[in-house]
Amino acid sequence: MNKIKLPNGDRITLLQTLVRIVDSGSLSAAALQLNTTQPTVSRRLQTLEQLLGVKLIQRTTHAIKLTDDGERCHQHARRLLEHWQIMEDEVRGARDEPVGVLRVRAPHAFGQDQLIGPLGEYLQRYRQTSVEWTLNDHSPDFIPEGIDCAIHVGSVTDPSVVAVLLAEVPRSLVASPALLAQRPTIATLGDLAQLPWLALNSFYRNEVTLTHRESGEVQRIDIAPRLSTDSLYAVRKAALDGLGVAIVSSWVVREELAQGRLHTLLPQWQAAPLPIYLLYPYASYYPARLRKFMELMKEVMPRILGTRAPAGR
């Protein structure tokens, strides 16, 4: 076999391609993340295999699998790329000056309303950065999806990620005047169970938990939702249309409550506020663009309209 000669920069590209293929699970997904074509990714993989003189990946119709040599190469490639990034940042003086593309996942409603202001502040501060702002209400699979960090509303159940508590979102129990006009006065928790309900199924489905503001008493109420959805905006619109009672983030109905288009029910009983976390994968090195974004989120999140500092802070 003739020895392949490549510039060192090309070797870095080949290693980056291998890592993307493995992390994303396919050549086509790697091509999408690398902003290139699948034939280019396939060609790079073949070049790396020829350069090393070993088979790295076994491809079948439905999946890819690393060979033993591929496993070793992948582990070494990760370490080499991490050290390369550190060296590159230091030489360019970028360890404390953010550069490049930051990829962030945020919830749909919160991400397109409440977080655009802080995002703009980040871009104003750090002119050499750009952001891919993906709105999705599900927790990301960081490495396969190429996501640097995520803003997450609600509890965190994945122990494999770092979760930094930033703030919390108060919630309101609301219904429209039209719906309430058709019903007897809501005076007790038992009355709530008789109402039609709207479920924001990211946070509650068949029961709701309310806590008394003064006594701390906790009560659970079984509900049978007429409408169940994962969209906060859909729940708000359905509540405004009189389809049912709902528990929603207070910021999303602030104007409607002020205008009397929605009413708060049993204000002495409250749903627990939702925590807001910054999530990111464990790593020994984080680029400046991610570190500065983390710092900014910790600074501004408790001041965003509709949020507050976590209890006990």
Side-chain angles (χ1 to χ4, degrees), residues 14 17-18 21 26-28 30-31 34 36-50 55 57 59:
L14 298 183
T17 301
L18 173 65
I21 292 171
S26 71
L27 273 67
S28 57
L34 292 167
T36 187
T37 64
Q38 184 172 336
T40 297
V41 169
S42 180
R43 187 166 56 251
R44 289 177 186 172
L45 174 60
Q46 292 172 7
T47 301
L48 182 59
E49 290 178 331
Q50 292 170 14
K55 189 73 173 175
I57 289 179
R59 279 181 278 178

mmCIF file of all heavy atoms in Angstrom, residues 14 17-18 21 26-28 30-31 34 36-50 55 57 59:
data_model
loop_
_atom_site.group_PDB
_atom_site.id
_atom_site.type_symbol
_atom_site.label_atom_id
_atom_site.label_comp_id
_atom_site.label_asym_id
_atom_site.label_seq_id
_atom_site.Cartn_x
_atom_site.Cartn_y
_atom_site.Cartn_z
ATOM 1 N N LEU A 14 -10.048 14.694 9.147
ATOM 2 C CA LEU A 14 -10.403 13.271 9.084
ATOM 3 C C LEU A 14 -10.811 12.754 10.456
ATOM 4 O O LEU A 14 -11.782 12.006 10.582
ATOM 5 C CB LEU A 14 -9.216 12.457 8.548
ATOM 6 C CG LEU A 14 -8.745 12.778 7.121
ATOM 7 C CD1 LEU A 14 -7.614 11.841 6.733
ATOM 8 C CD2 LEU A 14 -9.885 12.673 6.122
ATOM 9 N N THR A 17 -14.198 14.076 11.394
ATOM 10 C CA THR A 17 -15.237 13.363 10.649
ATOM 11 C C THR A 17 -15.544 12.020 11.294
ATOM 12 O O THR A 17 -16.716 11.646 11.450
ATOM 13 C CB THR A 17 -14.808 13.169 9.185
ATOM 14 O OG1 THR A 17 -14.577 14.450 8.587
ATOM 15 C CG2 THR A 17 -15.871 12.425 8.404
ATOM 16 N N LEU A 18 -14.509 11.298 11.703
ATOM 17 C CA LEU A 18 -14.734 10.009 12.360
ATOM 18 C C LEU A 18 -15.549 10.193 13.636
ATOM 19 O O LEU A 18 -16.517 9.455 13.888
ATOM 20 C CB LEU A 18 -13.393 9.345 12.689
ATOM 21 C CG LEU A 18 -13.498 8.061 13.532
ATOM 22 C CD1 LEU A 18 -14.218 6.964 12.761
ATOM 23 C CD2 LEU A 18 -12.121 7.598 13.985
ATOM 24 N N ILE A 21 -19.169 10.897 12.827
ATOM 25 C CA ILE A 21 -19.876 9.705 12.343
ATOM 26 C C ILE A 21 -20.308 8.846 13.526
ATOM 27 O O ILE A 21 -21.462 8.406 13.635
ATOM 28 C CB ILE A 21 -18.983 8.888 11.389
ATOM 29 C CG1 ILE A 21 -18.735 9.647 10.084
ATOM 30 C CG2 ILE A 21 -19.616 7.528 11.092
ATOM 31 C CD1 ILE A 21 -17.698 9.001 9.190
ATOM 32 N N SER A 26 -24.534 7.936 12.008
ATOM 33 C CA SER A 26 -24.611 7.647 10.575
ATOM 34 C C SER A 26 -23.778 8.644 9.782
ATOM 35 O O SER A 26 -23.460 9.735 10.274
ATOM 36 C CB SER A 26 -26.063 7.697 10.074
ATOM 37 O OG SER A 26 -26.538 9.040 10.056
ATOM 38 N N LEU A 27 -23.449 8.281 8.546
ATOM 39 C CA LEU A 27 -22.681 9.176 7.683
ATOM 40 C C LEU A 27 -23.523 10.371 7.261
ATOM 41 O O LEU A 27 -23.028 11.498 7.167
ATOM 42 C CB LEU A 27 -22.167 8.425 6.445
ATOM 43 C CG LEU A 27 -20.821 7.710 6.592
ATOM 44 C CD1 LEU A 27 -20.934 6.539 7.572
ATOM 45 C CD2 LEU A 27 -20.310 7.218 5.240
ATOM 46 N N SER A 28 -24.808 10.131 7.032
ATOM 47 C CA SER A 28 -25.671 11.235 6.585
ATOM 48 C C SER A 28 -25.857 12.266 7.695
ATOM 49 O O SER A 28 -25.844 13.473 7.446
ATOM 50 C CB SER A 28 -27.029 10.691 6.129
ATOM 51 O OG SER A 28 -27.659 9.962 7.170
ATOM 52 N N ALA A 30 -23.738 12.817 10.149
ATOM 53 C CA ALA A 30 -22.442 13.498 10.286
ATOM 54 C C ALA A 30 -22.281 14.563 9.212
ATOM 55 O O ALA A 30 -21.791 15.667 9.480
ATOM 56 C CB ALA A 30 -21.316 12.477 10.199
ATOM 57 N N ALA A 31 -22.699 14.250 7.996
ATOM 58 C CA ALA A 31 -22.601 15.226 6.905
ATOM 59 C C ALA A 31 -23.426 16.461 7.203
ATOM 60 O O ALA A 31 -22.998 17.594 6.960
ATOM 61 C CB ALA A 31 -23.054 14.577 5.596
ATOM 62 N N LEU A 34 -21.654 18.515 9.852
ATOM 63 C CA LEU A 34 -20.415 19.110 9.344
ATOM 64 C C LEU A 34 -20.657 20.046 8.173
ATOM 65 O O LEU A 34 -19.707 20.598 7.605
ATOM 66 C CB LEU A 34 -19.444 17.992 8.927
ATOM 67 C CG LEU A 34 -18.878 17.135 10.071
ATOM 68 C CD1 LEU A 34 -18.204 15.883 9.518
ATOM 69 C CD2 LEU A 34 -17.913 17.945 10.916
ATOM 70 N N THR A 36 -21.622 19.395 5.099
ATOM 71 C CA THR A 36 -21.025 18.890 3.868
ATOM 72 C C THR A 36 -21.919 17.785 3.324
ATOM 73 O O THR A 36 -23.059 17.644 3.753
ATOM 74 C CB THR A 36 -19.585 18.395 4.130
ATOM 75 O OG1 THR A 36 -18.973 18.073 2.889
ATOM 76 C CG2 THR A 36 -19.554 17.184 5.042
ATOM 77 N N THR A 37 -21.428 17.005 2.384
ATOM 78 C CA THR A 37 -22.243 15.960 1.753
ATOM 79 C C THR A 37 -21.854 14.582 2.268
ATOM 80 O O THR A 37 -20.733 14.373 2.754
ATOM 81 C CB THR A 37 -22.067 15.990 0.225
ATOM 82 O OG1 THR A 37 -20.704 15.670 -0.092
ATOM 83 C CG2 THR A 37 -22.405 17.372 -0.321
ATOM 84 N N GLN A 38 -22.772 13.636 2.123
ATOM 85 C CA GLN A 38 -22.477 12.272 2.550
ATOM 86 C C GLN A 38 -21.319 11.665 1.761
ATOM 87 O O GLN A 38 -20.467 10.993 2.363
ATOM 88 C CB GLN A 38 -23.728 11.398 2.446
ATOM 89 C CG GLN A 38 -23.503 9.972 2.965
ATOM 90 C CD GLN A 38 -24.786 9.175 3.051
ATOM 91 O OE1 GLN A 38 -25.865 9.732 3.156
ATOM 92 N NE2 GLN A 38 -24.666 7.855 3.014
ATOM 93 N N PRO A 39 -21.232 11.862 0.433
ATOM 94 C CA PRO A 39 -20.068 11.333 -0.292
ATOM 95 C C PRO A 39 -18.750 11.881 0.237
ATOM 96 O O PRO A 39 -17.745 11.153 0.286
ATOM 97 C CB PRO A 39 -20.328 11.766 -1.738
ATOM 98 C CG PRO A 39 -21.814 11.873 -1.835
ATOM 99 C CD PRO A 39 -22.242 12.399 -0.501
ATOM 100 N N THR A 40 -18.730 13.155 0.645
ATOM 101 C CA THR A 40 -17.507 13.736 1.202
ATOM 102 C C THR A 40 -17.132 13.054 2.513
ATOM 103 O O THR A 40 -15.960 12.727 2.759
ATOM 104 C CB THR A 40 -17.679 15.247 1.435
ATOM 105 O OG1 THR A 40 -17.898 15.882 0.172
ATOM 106 C CG2 THR A 40 -16.443 15.849 2.079
ATOM 107 N N VAL A 41 -18.132 12.826 3.371
ATOM 108 C CA VAL A 41 -17.886 12.137 4.637
ATOM 109 C C VAL A 41 -17.374 10.722 4.383
ATOM 110 O O VAL A 41 -16.422 10.255 5.020
ATOM 111 C CB VAL A 41 -19.167 12.115 5.492
ATOM 112 C CG1 VAL A 41 -19.006 11.168 6.685
ATOM 113 C CG2 VAL A 41 -19.498 13.513 5.980
ATOM 114 N N SER A 42 -17.992 10.017 3.448
ATOM 115 C CA SER A 42 -17.567 8.664 3.115
ATOM 116 C C SER A 42 -16.135 8.657 2.579
ATOM 117 O O SER A 42 -15.323 7.786 2.930
ATOM 118 C CB SER A 42 -18.518 8.066 2.078
ATOM 119 O OG SER A 42 -18.135 6.746 1.741
ATOM 120 N N ARG A 43 -15.815 9.645 1.771
ATOM 121 C CA ARG A 43 -14.463 9.734 1.208
ATOM 122 C C ARG A 43 -13.427 10.005 2.299
ATOM 123 O O ARG A 43 -12.333 9.432 2.308
ATOM 124 C CB ARG A 43 -14.424 10.822 0.138
ATOM 125 C CG ARG A 43 -13.122 10.897 -0.633
ATOM 126 C CD ARG A 43 -13.262 11.738 -1.883
ATOM 127 N NE ARG A 43 -13.735 13.087 -1.605
ATOM 128 C CZ ARG A 43 -14.965 13.530 -1.919
ATOM 129 N NH1 ARG A 43 -15.849 12.710 -2.494
ATOM 130 N NH2 ARG A 43 -15.320 14.768 -1.649
ATOM 131 N N ARG A 44 -13.782 10.868 3.246
ATOM 132 C CA ARG A 44 -12.854 11.145 4.356
ATOM 133 C C ARG A 44 -12.617 9.895 5.196
ATOM 134 O O ARG A 44 -11.498 9.626 5.643
ATOM 135 C CB ARG A 44 -13.416 12.262 5.235
ATOM 136 C CG ARG A 44 -13.406 13.640 4.607
ATOM 137 C CD ARG A 44 -14.062 14.635 5.550
ATOM 138 N NE ARG A 44 -14.202 15.958 4.943
ATOM 139 C CZ ARG A 44 -14.885 16.958 5.498
ATOM 140 N NH1 ARG A 44 -15.492 16.771 6.669
ATOM 141 N NH2 ARG A 44 -14.977 18.127 4.898
ATOM 142 N N LEU A 45 -13.692 9.135 5.464
ATOM 143 C CA LEU A 45 -13.554 7.909 6.240
ATOM 144 C C LEU A 45 -12.632 6.929 5.519
ATOM 145 O O LEU A 45 -11.735 6.328 6.134
ATOM 146 C CB LEU A 45 -14.922 7.283 6.473
ATOM 147 C CG LEU A 45 -14.935 5.911 7.166
ATOM 148 C CD1 LEU A 45 -14.297 6.003 8.550
ATOM 149 C CD2 LEU A 45 -16.363 5.368 7.252
ATOM 150 N N GLN A 46 -12.830 6.764 4.220
ATOM 151 C CA GLN A 46 -11.977 5.858 3.452
ATOM 152 C C GLN A 46 -10.520 6.316 3.475
ATOM 153 O O GLN A 46 -9.598 5.499 3.606
ATOM 154 C CB GLN A 46 -12.480 5.776 2.012
ATOM 155 C CG GLN A 46 -13.825 5.085 1.859
ATOM 156 C CD GLN A 46 -14.379 5.203 0.451
ATOM 157 O OE1 GLN A 46 -13.707 5.700 -0.453
ATOM 158 N NE2 GLN A 46 -15.610 4.748 0.264
ATOM 159 N N THR A 47 -10.307 7.628 3.382
ATOM 160 C CA THR A 47 -8.941 8.161 3.414
ATOM 161 C C THR A 47 -8.277 7.886 4.750
ATOM 162 O O THR A 47 -7.098 7.501 4.807
ATOM 163 C CB THR A 47 -8.956 9.682 3.140
ATOM 164 O OG1 THR A 47 -9.540 9.936 1.865
ATOM 165 C CG2 THR A 47 -7.543 10.252 3.173
ATOM 166 N N LEU A 48 -9.034 8.062 5.857
ATOM 167 C CA LEU A 48 -8.482 7.798 7.184
ATOM 168 C C LEU A 48 -8.143 6.321 7.330
ATOM 169 O O LEU A 48 -7.087 5.971 7.893
ATOM 170 C CB LEU A 48 -9.474 8.241 8.259
ATOM 171 C CG LEU A 48 -9.027 8.082 9.718
ATOM 172 C CD1 LEU A 48 -7.747 8.873 9.979
ATOM 173 C CD2 LEU A 48 -10.131 8.519 10.678
ATOM 174 N N GLU A 49 -9.016 5.451 6.841
ATOM 175 C CA GLU A 49 -8.756 4.010 6.907
ATOM 176 C C GLU A 49 -7.515 3.644 6.098
ATOM 177 O O GLU A 49 -6.684 2.843 6.541
ATOM 178 C CB GLU A 49 -9.976 3.230 6.419
ATOM 179 C CG GLU A 49 -11.164 3.301 7.385
ATOM 180 C CD GLU A 49 -12.394 2.576 6.885
ATOM 181 O OE1 GLU A 49 -12.565 2.504 5.636
ATOM 182 O OE2 GLU A 49 -13.185 2.086 7.707
ATOM 183 N N GLN A 50 -7.361 4.242 4.932
ATOM 184 C CA GLN A 50 -6.180 3.984 4.109
ATOM 185 C C GLN A 50 -4.918 4.526 4.774
ATOM 186 O O GLN A 50 -3.855 3.894 4.751
ATOM 187 C CB GLN A 50 -6.358 4.610 2.728
ATOM 188 C CG GLN A 50 -7.437 3.955 1.881
ATOM 189 C CD GLN A 50 -7.751 4.749 0.621
ATOM 190 O OE1 GLN A 50 -6.995 5.644 0.238
ATOM 191 N NE2 GLN A 50 -8.875 4.423 -0.016
ATOM 192 N N LYS A 55 -9.385 -1.173 9.008
ATOM 193 C CA LYS A 55 -10.808 -0.917 8.862
ATOM 194 C C LYS A 55 -11.337 -0.346 10.174
ATOM 195 O O LYS A 55 -11.132 -0.923 11.243
ATOM 196 C CB LYS A 55 -11.543 -2.221 8.528
ATOM 197 C CG LYS A 55 -12.998 -2.034 8.143
ATOM 198 C CD LYS A 55 -13.118 -1.420 6.764
ATOM 199 C CE LYS A 55 -14.578 -1.388 6.313
ATOM 200 N NZ LYS A 55 -14.725 -0.678 5.018
ATOM 201 N N ILE A 57 -14.745 1.150 10.564
ATOM 202 C CA ILE A 57 -16.199 1.036 10.738
ATOM 203 C C ILE A 57 -16.747 -0.058 9.842
ATOM 204 O O ILE A 57 -16.395 -0.149 8.657
ATOM 205 C CB ILE A 57 -16.890 2.380 10.414
ATOM 206 C CG1 ILE A 57 -16.590 3.415 11.503
ATOM 207 C CG2 ILE A 57 -18.402 2.201 10.272
ATOM 208 C CD1 ILE A 57 -17.204 4.774 11.243
ATOM 209 N N ARG A 59 -20.123 -1.199 8.139
ATOM 210 C CA ARG A 59 -21.429 -0.624 7.800
ATOM 211 C C ARG A 59 -22.387 -1.707 7.339
ATOM 212 O O ARG A 59 -22.044 -2.559 6.535
ATOM 213 C CB ARG A 59 -21.266 0.430 6.699
ATOM 214 C CG ARG A 59 -20.811 1.771 7.206
ATOM 215 C CD ARG A 59 -20.698 2.784 6.089
ATOM 216 N NE ARG A 59 -19.448 2.663 5.369
ATOM 217 C CZ ARG A 59 -19.104 3.400 4.333
ATOM 218 N NH1 ARG A 59 -19.942 4.313 3.875
ATOM 219 N NH2 ARG A 59 -17.940 3.247 3.744
#
